[in-house]
Amino acid sequence: MNWRRVLLVALLVGGFWYVTTHLPEGLGRLGSPGAFSDASGAKSSLSLTEAHAAPNYDPDEQNNIAVYRKALPSVVNITSKSMTFNFFYGQVPQEGQGSGFILDKAGHVLTNFHVIADANRIEVMTSDKHRYKATIVGSDKVHDLALLQINAPNLQPVTLAESSDLVVGQKVYAIGNPFGLNGTMTRGIISSIRSIRGPEGSPIEDAIQTDAAINPGNSGGPLLNSRGEVIGINTLIATGGAEQSSGIGFAIPVNTAKAVLGDLTKYGRVRRPSLGIVSLAINADLADQMGLAAGSGVLVQKTVPGGAADRAGIHGGNQQAYLGNMAIMLGGDLIVEIDGTEINDTTDITAVMARHQPGDTVSVTIYRGRKKLTLKLALSEGREINT
């Protein structure tokens, strides 16, 4: 019986040796990497094609890379922390995120007002991942701007361009922190230059519309030209309720920011010129009903005592009436022009005021009844969003 067992073991060992050494690869042979068989049993091998050198970037790609490398060290991520109330009126912490950019080596950072509104703690993270506590130097709710400051070494400021000569079709780049994804760059063109209403409802003149993807978290970040220079501050998007980019984003022109940075640094707020009036925009229908001398303009309801209009002798209304359920005053002067600019509504006055400082003298053309007059007026300082 023993010789039978020896014979059986010999047969098994011999059979295993034959299978693993004589059958075609891929069918019976085990552990043979890098070899495959097709349907006919013929052996085939895997062949890869690999690049033998670094890729050559085309001029457009090279410009994209150059813009990103130039601007990224100046872009920061801003985290604002505040307290809010839950359903049971208990205080709970709330955190928001946005973007900003470094203006100078002293650590001044420009962002949107709505990024830091109501915050009791603000933290700035630079592109090298270091975090710094930020203080508010000043804010401009009307233009949705805020100036912060951090104490940090080796800061790289942005380069500010001009925004007065921008054209539709010009290539632009947005860098920021959409949805908290810091250091994200998107590209597009200037789609339009138009006046819009900002997040607080105040007008933003010559806002830059772009199709570059701007999403929550991009607010306050820079909009750049093809040289990596700042032309605008990304501020809002048209979403249709989707809360994400729909290809219609808006940026505050950088010239608007330049005009207020001095006041923000010196006073912590913006000193705005004002006519010192409460007004009502007039259209053709209202002008006809009221018997006014012009078909459009701004009707002076009342003047602020001691304000610019009051000092210049502009008259407010003296007869109460109702426009729907709203009480108005009739009989006041109708403003139709300021410094050669036609005035059709309060937005036109706001645009004129944006070009001046408190104390500047302007020419105001009015109708007093049927009589047309032009008065010189020294602008006062206004604190509220009005004319």
Side-chain angles (χ1 to χ4, degrees):
M1 294 295 293
N2 289 335
W3 66 268
R4 290 181 180 178
R5 291 179 182 176
V6 172
L7 181 60
L8 179 60
V9 171
L11 288 173
L12 289 174
V13 171
F16 180 79
W17 171 81
Y18 180 82
V19 167
T20 57
T21 58
H22 288 74
L23 289 185
E25 293 179 359
L27 290 179
R29 191 171 176 181
L30 303 177
S32 53
F36 302 89
S37 298
D38 58 22
S40 64
K43 184 167 62 177
S44 62
S45 61
L46 177 64
S47 178
L48 302 177
T49 302
E50 299 186 37
H52 297 290
N56 293 319
Y57 302 111
D58 65 32
D60 195 40
E61 291 174 321
Q62 290 175 15
N63 191 70
N64 294 344
I65 295 167
V67 168
Y68 186 72
R69 288 178 175 172
K70 178 180 180 179
L72 181 64
S74 306
V75 180
V76 300
N77 184 21
I78 299 175
T79 303
S80 62
K81 299 180 180 180
S82 60
M83 299 299 293
T84 187
F85 293 93
N86 61 16
F87 181 78
F88 301 100
Y89 295 98
Q91 282 194 333
V92 293
Q94 188 174 32
E95 186 172 285
Q97 285 197 333
S99 304
F101 51 92
I102 299 165
L103 293 175
D104 58 18
K105 290 185 176 296
H108 288 102
V109 174
L110 189 63
T111 186
N112 284 145
F113 172 80
H114 75 261
V115 170
I116 54 90
D118 303 320
N120 51 33
R121 180 178 174 84
I122 303 170
E123 188 177 76
V124 168
M125 185 177 73
T126 53
S127 62
D128 59 5
K129 310 301 182 189
H130 287 91
R131 298 177 182 272
Y132 303 93
K133 181 181 178 181
T135 57
I136 300 175
V137 175
S139 60
D140 179 10
K141 187 176 180 180
V142 173
H143 288 127
D144 193 27
L145 295 170
L147 184 64
L148 312 178
Q149 190 167 21
I150 59 175
N151 183 13
N154 305 318
L155 296 176
Q156 182 172 320
V158 295
T159 301
L160 302 180
E162 281 289 316
S163 58
S164 58
D165 56 355
L166 302 177
V167 294
V168 173
Q170 181 177 338
K171 189 185 299 181
V172 293
Y173 301 83
I175 299 182
N177 307 286
F179 302 111
L181 302 172
N182 60 293
T184 298
M185 183 174 80
T186 56
R187 190 182 78 163
I189 63 169
I190 294 178
S191 305
S192 181
I193 305 291
R194 66 174 78 246
S195 296
I196 62 169
R197 293 281 176 180
E200 299 295 329
S202 55
I204 298 175
E205 302 297 325
D206 299 323
I208 306 166
Q209 181 182 331
T210 179
D211 65 349
I214 297 174
N215 285 288
N218 274 117
S219 290
L223 188 69
L224 308 156
N225 60 20
S226 58
R227 296 180 298 277
E229 302 162 342
V230 178
I231 59 172
I233 302 94
N234 300 316
T235 187
L236 57 87
I237 54 177
T239 65
E243 295 303 323
Q244 60 187 12
S245 176
S246 60
I248 301 178
F250 294 95
I252 302 164
V254 73
N255 282 8
T256 298
K258 289 180 184 179
V260 303
L261 283 174
D263 277 358
L264 291 178
T265 304
K266 188 174 182 179
Y267 304 107
R269 59 180 175 81
V270 177
R271 298 170 65 247
R272 281 198 170 74
S274 171
L275 296 177
I277 63 173
V278 176
S279 59
L280 174 69
I282 297 298
N283 57 31
D285 289 339
L286 286 176
D288 185 57
Q289 294 175 35
M290 296 176 182
L292 301 177
S296 63
V298 169
L299 184 65
V300 180
Q301 300 287 287
K302 67 178 182 179
T303 60
V304 177
D310 184 42
R311 295 195 306 267
I314 290 178
H315 294 175
N318 54 19
Q319 180 184 352
Q320 189 176 47
Y322 283 88
L323 184 61
N325 294 324
M326 181 176 67
I328 61 173
M329 298 297 293
L330 303 179
D333 294 336
L334 180 68
I335 299 175
V336 293
E337 189 177 288
I338 301 177
D339 272 354
T341 299
E342 183 178 338
I343 302 300
N344 294 304
D345 54 34
T346 55
T347 302
D348 293 331
I349 296 181
T350 301
V352 173
M353 293 299 102
R355 300 195 291 267
H356 290 280
Q357 297 291 328
D360 289 353
T361 298
V362 296
S363 296
V364 181
T365 301
I366 63 171
Y367 276 101
R368 183 168 291 164
R370 295 287 167 178
K371 187 177 180 180
K372 192 173 186 179
L373 303 170
T374 297
L375 306 173
K376 293 290 186 180
L377 183 151
L379 297 172
S380 54
E381 181 181 347
R383 296 298 182 91
E384 301 296 330
I385 304 172
N386 208 330
T387 53

